Amino acid sequence: MLQQLYGWIQNIAVYLIVAAAVMHAIPGKDYGKYVRFFSGLVLILLLFTPVLNLTGMVERFREIYQSTQYEMDRREIEEARERLEEADILDFLPEEYSGMESEETEESESLIEVEEIRIGE
């Protein structure tokens, strides 16, 4: 129990030191209010960590986050698949790679003739 309390206090102390360093490192006062707001939210979460651990809410929040992250990843994959199907990637390939032409036409189209090379002009 004392180890958990010590760890909790240590986390808060480290966080306050890092937050103070960030506040001194930002270039102007314009961003200061945003950094203070965000750091205040994180500090509130750090302060309530023992309460969340006792009630088992940490695991519940982890489950919610993981299920939400899974859904977002699944949607991104489905959207990418739909975009690829709509684009029909074979339409972008040159005809010589489509494999539908005979070898004779492929050989004649793949030849490159060099008429003249000039160096140092």
Side-chain angles (χ1 to χ4, degrees):
M1 182 69 170
L2 288 176
Q3 279 294 63
Q4 292 176 345
L5 182 63
Y6 176 72
W8 177 61
I9 293 172
Q10 186 179 14
N11 286 340
I12 292 173
V14 168
Y15 176 74
L16 290 175
I17 292 169
V18 170
V22 169
M23 285 301 295
H24 290 294
I26 56 175
K29 293 185 178 185
D30 297 337
Y31 298 111
K33 61 182 176 181
Y34 300 113
V35 172
R36 275 194 304 276
F37 175 74
F38 178 73
S39 63
L41 291 176
V42 174
L43 183 60
I44 290 170
L45 287 176
L46 280 175
L47 291 173
F48 284 112
T49 301
V51 175
L52 294 175
N53 283 335
L54 289 175
T55 60
M57 292 300 291
V58 171
E59 291 300 320
R60 180 68 182 138
F61 285 140
R62 186 172 290 127
E63 290 172 8
I64 290 171
Y65 172 75
Q66 288 175 347
S67 67
T68 305
Q69 186 66 30
Y70 171 77
E71 277 299 313
M72 288 176 22
D73 290 345
R74 187 183 61 78
R75 282 190 205 129
E76 286 179 17
I77 291 171
E78 286 179 1
E79 289 171 2
R81 181 181 53 83
E82 289 172 2
R83 282 193 301 262
L84 286 175
E85 287 177 355
E86 289 174 5
D88 196 16
I89 191 115
L90 294 177
D91 290 343
F92 297 111
L93 292 176
E95 290 180 14
E96 62 191 35
Y97 294 112
S98 66
M100 301 177 89
E101 297 180 286
S102 66
E103 290 181 19
E104 297 171 0
T105 57
E106 285 183 16
E107 289 177 9
S108 63
E109 289 179 2
S110 65
L111 294 178
I112 298 174
E113 294 181 21
V114 179
E115 294 179 9
E116 182 178 345
I117 297 177
R118 294 183 185 181
I119 300 176
E121 285 188 9

